[in-house]
Amino acid sequence: MITIFKDKKDIPSDKEYIELNDVFFNQNTVAKLDERANTIIEKIDNSKLLSKYKICSRFNDVILDIDRLSVGCKTVLNVLYYPEKVFCLKECGNNALEEIYGLDKGSVYSDYSLIPFDMDKVLVQTKKGGREISDYEELKEWWCNEE
């Protein structure tokens, strides 16, 4: 299950925070892509991974460089391949959020609530500690309340 931080000061000092998912993906994650990436790329961008650096777009089957993926898709792939880092959620659409919330591990940050309706459970983390939340309304309340 993923861990969510709503305040940057709650991110442990031993975890690197990544704000620019697009840049991080292009410089790091792209080199790690394997068969797991294809499923995510198909679900989020409706494209097909042809090789490590090429995708087949849903628009007229045009072949594009992989850097043309949406930032939401890149964010999911960043979280998947670098679960020890914390990634910003702010550029993710609902389809990417659903995938992130379904990952077995990883960490994300947003100072405002970004919750897909179809969520299972997450770990929310503050300086005071962490707890599991498995209800949309409870997670929204946690995100909206000041601590």
Side-chain angles (χ1 to χ4, degrees):
M1 108 183 74
I2 64 159
T3 301
I4 300 173
F5 297 93
K6 69 175 178 177
D7 194 324
K8 284 184 185 173
K9 69 181 181 203
D10 293 334
I11 298 172
S13 59
D14 65 338
K15 283 193 173 270
E16 183 181 0
Y17 171 65
I18 308 297
E19 180 87 24
L20 302 173
N21 284 295
D22 188 45
V23 173
F24 186 87
F25 176 88
N26 293 341
Q27 292 178 350
N28 301 282
T29 308
V30 71
K32 292 185 131 193
L33 297 182
D34 57 23
E35 65 281 344
R36 297 177 296 169
N38 198 38
T39 303
I40 291 170
I41 291 168
E42 285 180 6
K43 282 183 180 177
I44 297 173
D45 282 358
N46 295 324
S47 296
K48 183 170 176 61
L49 183 64
L50 298 176
S51 69
K52 192 168 274 202
Y53 302 104
K54 297 288 183 186
I55 58 171
C56 182
S57 170
R58 66 181 168 191
F59 302 109
N60 298 325
D61 293 328
V62 174
I63 307 301
L64 300 170
D65 290 335
I66 196 138
D67 68 339
R68 302 300 297 209
L69 289 172
S70 68
V71 179
C73 188
K74 289 178 179 182
T75 302
V76 175
L77 294 168
N78 287 343
V79 175
L80 177 67
Y81 288 99
Y82 291 91
E84 73 283 358
K85 299 183 185 305
V86 179
F87 294 92
C88 181
L89 280 181
K90 293 180 181 180
E91 296 177 291
C92 291
N94 284 335
N95 56 352
L97 289 173
E98 287 175 8
E99 291 301 314
I100 288 173
Y101 275 68
L103 293 175
D104 292 333
K105 57 185 175 179
S107 298
V108 294
Y109 159 80
S110 178
D111 55 357
Y112 56 87
S113 64
L114 289 165
I115 311 168
F117 286 113
D118 186 26
M119 62 159 283
D120 187 18
K121 64 181 175 180
V122 296
L123 177 66
V124 294
Q125 187 72 43
T126 65
K127 287 276 189 216
K128 296 177 185 176
R131 66 182 169 108
E132 278 187 24
I133 295 179
S134 58
D135 177 73
Y136 175 90
E137 291 298 329
E138 185 181 353
L139 181 56
K140 188 173 179 181
E141 183 179 320
W142 170 81
W143 227 313
C144 294
N145 287 335
E146 295 293 321
E147 289 194 22

